[in-house]
Amino acid sequence: MSEDQVTETAASSSKGRPAKKDAKANFFARIALFVRQIIGELKKVVAPTRKELINYTLVVLVFVAIMMVIVSLLDIGFGSAIGWIFGGSGSTDS
């Protein structure tokens, strides 16, 4: 596979990297590399626009409302089925 076929991220992350690193690299060097990688990834993040944010919020709220209805109906249905199967009136008084 040529480098032209590799994505930019994959190509840039493999440039200049040695084939095998020593497993006992300096602790502080590893932390510094980790922090540099975090900063690099955070620079790629794109914040949503106001319109997108409102749209995403509405989608999540509608989905949660639908799931609440489904779970509530299942709860009521299973509760009624258990009451019917065991024939209890719900009272535990003797």
Side-chain angles (χ1 to χ4, degrees):
M1 178 182 288
S2 71
E3 191 170 313
D4 295 336
Q5 295 173 333
V6 178
T7 63
E8 181 182 328
T9 304
S12 64
S13 66
S14 63
K15 289 182 182 176
R17 182 176 290 174
K20 181 98 176 175
K21 261 192 164 178
D22 183 21
K24 296 285 185 179
N26 183 1
F27 177 74
F28 294 107
R30 289 185 298 183
I31 290 184
L33 174 65
F34 179 68
V35 171
R36 281 195 307 271
Q37 289 174 344
I38 290 174
I39 292 170
E41 290 298 320
L42 287 175
K43 286 181 180 179
K44 297 177 189 177
V45 173
V46 178
T49 63
R50 181 177 176 86
K51 184 178 179 182
E52 290 173 333
L53 187 62
I54 291 171
N55 190 29
Y56 297 154
T57 303
L58 290 175
V59 167
V60 169
L61 291 176
V62 168
F63 176 77
V64 169
I66 291 171
M67 293 307 296
M68 284 174 48
V69 168
I70 291 172
V71 170
S72 296
L73 291 174
L74 286 172
D75 183 43
I76 292 169
F78 285 130
S80 298
I82 294 296
W84 179 76
I85 289 171
F86 293 108
S89 62
S91 177
T92 58
D93 294 336
S94 297

